[in-house]
Amino acid sequence: CARLLSAFEDQREDDQLVHIATDGETFGHHHRYGDMALAYVLEKIDSGKSARLTNYGEFLENRPPTWEVEIKENTAWSCVHGVERWKNDCGCHSGRRLEWNQGWREPLRNALDWLRDELAEAYTENAGGLFADPWQARNDYIEVILDRSAESIDRFLKQHLKDPPDETARIQALKLLEMQRQAMLMYTSCGWFFDELSGLETVQVIQYAGRTVQLATELFENDIEEPFLEKLALAKSNIPKHKTGRHIYEKWVKPSRVDLKKAAAHYAISSFFEDYPEKVSIYCFSIENLDNRSAEAGRAKIAVGRAQITSQITREIELFHYAVFHMGDHSISCGISHFEEEAYSRMAVEILGVFDKSDIPGVFRCFGNYFHDATYSLTSLFRDEQRKVLNSILETTTSGALMLYRQLYDNHIALMRFINDSSSQIPKALYVAGDIVVNSDLNQEFDREILSYDAIRALIEDAERAGIDLDAETLEFTLRRNLERLALELHLHPENLDLLERLAQGIELAAELPFSVRFQEIENIHYTLGQEKYPVYQARAEGGDDEARQWTATFLRLAKVLKIRMN
């Protein structure tokens, strides 16, 4: 705050503008409590008399410019070589691996420029027959990106298309525009900022290029992917196993490509683990269940069905038939295809009939007969859902393993205490069992709606006596999330004395733990209640209200643990 205010020149009488420009993520993300520091600075400046807060628009409206400046072209905030960081090995990097080079930047940039120019020509040629002004339509497509409702798309197409579109023309128009959008996204700045071609940000840039190629392949007859990959192969990774941009594309980008068929596979497989309604939206796809038949035999499950998939982006619609066979754990096989109605009914009856006879090889023969190579597995799920399903599958396995660890720990806890007391090293097998059991039990206790303080203290004592380290990061997160939920509930129902007492006890417990817990959100809620509710309850307590007296006493107790001064 002092640094900002010191930038003003005291001797000048005319208006002065001091500005600060930083990444938003600096506050709270890069620097813990930075958001609170920023809030304090803004409030202090705004409440003072030496300066006031403004923005460029307001300042210029009140004080029209009297000077003219010329911006130096081709300059960047993070590269002293102009904008070379975004196209050459100029020497600018994040400094993590000094032995690495960024020679991959130029061939990557060249490959993307070539792809952009090739598709710009194809776009102009194909979009010219649809749009009154293809490039104005491309620019205005932002309105559709911001609102992909049917009404928004209809309004946009009515404004830009030459003729009222049929369904084919609508899909082609939206695909062309989406192709151009992805071609712009592949120039996202952070793709060049960091050190390595296989880094997350650069791979994401190549992902955008991959989606551009996918749409171009669907729209045009020429094969644009192979010449693009030839150019991408000239970009060399610093990590030998990642080889080149082409290898990265084929390893990570192409397998992650999603179309309507893969969306159908995702729906079919995940329906074993999700109770979907008849119509559901999954990411950018709308899915309608038209038929589903299933059977179970022990851990094995099978389902056949029909589903209509609609892309919310391109508005393509396709009807798919599927069969999914789950043999337990991660063993899942899914077939996706198009059938006539009669063929679908025949397939459903045959596969379910074979499964009913417990003929597992027969089930796989049916899959081969009806779906040929169009089969999918658990890896076909979208990544977030894949993790979710794996966690669901692992629950049984994990609980079984935990039971074995618990048995080992319970049988030898006395020995572990003796070894720890004698300052000897606990055998790794015993330590691992204790580590898993105690931290798992503590995490479970911290997650309970009503905390059991005796159980928590007993577990922490067990850990200390047996020489077990606490998983502070995980435990802190679980307890903090639970206490923040309690504080938010109190914020909504401040009159609830039981909530206030439970929160106070929880914070007191957290303050005793051998690791620190962040109370930032709780402090903010306490401060708000202190401003809005505490004076009311204080007045009522002074008037003889016993419940209000108890409320204020508990609130002050909570303030003491949070180290908040109450005036």
Side-chain angles (χ1 to χ4, degrees), residues 396-409:
T396 304
T397 305
T398 304
S399 61
L402 184 59
M403 191 181 301
L404 294 174
Y405 282 123
R406 189 179 301 282
Q407 185 178 5
L408 181 63
Y409 173 66

Side-chain angles (χ1 to χ4, degrees), residues 363-393:
V363 172
F364 284 110
R365 281 196 299 273
C366 287
F367 267 67
N369 291 337
Y370 284 103
F371 299 105
H372 306 295
D373 295 328
T375 54
Y376 299 82
S377 67
L378 191 61
T379 58
S380 307
L381 288 173
F382 301 156
R383 187 57 58 87
D384 287 347
E385 191 71 18
Q386 190 179 126
R387 292 192 188 99
K388 186 177 178 182
V389 169
L390 274 174
N391 287 338
S392 175
I393 291 171

Side-chain angles (χ1 to χ4, degrees), residues 83-349:
V83 291
E84 294 304 299
R85 188 170 194 157
W86 283 266
K87 57 184 180 179
N88 281 309
D89 185 8
C90 65
C92 290
H93 53 82
S94 66
R96 291 184 178 179
R97 298 291 295 270
L98 298 180
E99 72 275 17
W100 283 359
N101 70 77
Q102 286 71 53
W104 50 267
R105 286 177 181 156
E106 182 177 3
L108 175 61
R109 184 84 185 199
N110 291 341
L112 298 187
D113 285 350
W114 176 86
L115 181 62
R116 175 201 62 199
D117 294 342
E118 288 289 313
L119 296 183
E121 185 178 339
Y123 173 79
T124 302
E125 181 180 339
N126 286 268
L130 294 170
F131 297 113
D133 185 335
W135 293 104
Q136 186 60 48
R138 194 282 305 268
N139 294 343
D140 292 347
Y141 182 57
I142 183 65
E143 299 300 331
V144 175
I145 294 170
L146 295 173
D147 177 9
R148 291 195 181 276
S149 66
E151 296 76 15
S152 172
I153 292 174
D154 288 342
R155 186 166 57 248
F156 172 84
L157 294 177
K158 184 177 180 181
Q159 178 184 352
H160 288 282
L161 289 178
K162 292 179 178 178
D163 304 308
D166 56 22
E167 199 59 35
T168 302
R170 282 170 59 90
I171 293 171
Q172 185 183 17
L174 292 172
K175 277 189 172 183
L176 285 165
L177 292 165
E178 188 62 21
M179 180 188 74
Q180 279 298 313
R181 173 186 172 232
Q182 297 293 330
M184 296 169 76
L185 287 172
M186 67 189 187
Y187 288 100
T188 300
S189 175
C190 58
W192 280 265
F193 183 83
F194 296 98
D195 297 349
E196 165 54 16
L197 179 66
S198 63
L200 177 68
E201 297 83 3
T202 310
V203 171
Q204 183 59 51
V205 163
I206 302 174
Q207 290 262 26
Y208 293 135
R211 176 60 174 159
T212 306
V213 168
Q214 180 186 0
L215 289 165
T217 303
E218 294 172 5
L219 284 164
F220 315 128
E221 292 183 2
N222 57 326
D223 178 18
I224 201 166
E225 185 171 47
E226 183 55 35
F228 172 65
L229 290 180
E230 289 175 2
K231 292 170 174 55
L232 207 55
L234 300 177
K236 310 293 184 183
S237 169
N238 288 289
I239 302 173
K241 68 177 181 179
H242 296 320
K243 301 177 183 177
T244 67
R246 178 174 190 142
H247 180 78
I248 289 167
Y249 182 97
E250 291 171 340
K251 180 181 179 180
W252 286 320
V253 174
K254 201 162 185 177
S256 67
R257 184 175 290 174
V258 178
D259 54 16
L260 291 178
K261 191 176 237 185
K262 191 166 183 179
H266 173 94
Y267 170 77
I269 295 171
S270 61
S271 64
F272 269 149
F273 306 93
E274 291 274 355
D275 187 17
Y276 287 130
E278 289 300 305
K279 294 183 179 180
V280 64
S281 179
I282 300 177
Y283 297 101
C284 59
F285 297 97
S286 299
I287 303 172
E288 181 178 1
N289 175 35
L290 302 176
D291 185 43
N292 183 273
R293 312 175 199 182
S294 61
E296 296 185 27
R299 295 181 67 195
K301 301 178 184 178
I302 198 161
V304 294
R306 299 164 62 231
Q308 181 172 281
I309 317 293
T310 303
S311 167
Q312 296 170 355
I313 294 177
T314 64
R315 295 293 161 173
E316 293 173 278
I317 301 176
E318 283 197 57
L319 176 67
F320 291 100
H321 301 89
Y322 62 84
V324 190
F325 184 31
H326 183 203
M327 292 167 285
D329 291 338
H330 65 287
S331 301
I332 298 176
S333 184
C334 173
I336 300 291
S337 191
H338 303 276
F339 295 119
E340 297 294 333
E341 184 65 30
E342 185 178 336
Y344 163 70
S345 298
R346 187 168 59 251
M347 179 271 293
V349 170

Side-chain angles (χ1 to χ4, degrees), residues 472-487:
E473 186 175 350
T474 301
L475 296 175
E476 189 275 342
F477 173 78
T478 303
L479 179 59
R480 171 164 48 87
R481 183 181 60 181
N482 198 353
L483 294 175
E484 286 174 352
R485 176 194 57 77
L486 199 59

Side-chain angles (χ1 to χ4, degrees), residues 409 413-414 416-418 420-421 426 434 437-439 441-442 445-446 452-470 475 509 512-515:
Y409 173 66
I413 185 172
M416 292 175 68
R417 289 173 178 173
F418 176 80
N420 187 52
D421 289 342
I426 298 172
V437 170
V438 171
N439 280 296
D441 287 353
L442 263 178
E445 290 296 334
F446 284 156
S452 173
Y453 305 103
D454 291 339
I456 291 169
R457 290 187 177 100
L459 284 167
I460 291 174
E461 183 182 343
D462 284 346
E464 184 177 352
R465 293 188 62 192
I468 296 168
D469 294 325
L470 298 182
L475 296 175
L509 170 73
E512 298 174 9
L513 295 174
F515 54 84

